[in-house]
Amino acid sequence: DWNVDENAPTLPTTVNPNPTVNPNPTNGLVTISGKDLKSAEVINALGQCVASATGESERLQIDLSGLPAGVYFVNITDTEGRKCVRKVVKE
């Protein structure tokens, strides 16, 4: 019997609508904009959290001016626990 029961598609749990990180590239302060944001963590290439922001709003700000130039990842979580990742370049 080669019949396989179909499962309902599982959608990834991502923040909706998609948050943005501006300005990008940046020299300092970045603003994360989106709906029902709860937290954002900036992760370096070694996987270390180097900056973060929390709050329940549509805008979070993080100051990257003290970090060395490079590529960082921003892990963003909304109030419902959905997550997404954005890349930001620090000049």
Side-chain angles (χ1 to χ4, degrees), residues 34-76:
K35 186 175 180 186
D36 299 325
L37 300 176
K38 182 177 181 182
S39 66
E41 295 180 324
V42 178
I43 308 298
N44 66 12
L46 300 175
Q48 301 165 323
C49 179
V50 293
S52 65
T54 59
E56 293 189 12
S57 67
E58 293 184 1
R59 184 163 291 156
L60 298 173
Q61 291 188 321
I62 301 177
D63 186 8
L64 304 181
S65 61
L67 298 176
V71 176
Y72 295 88
F73 296 94
V74 183
N75 294 335
I76 304 166

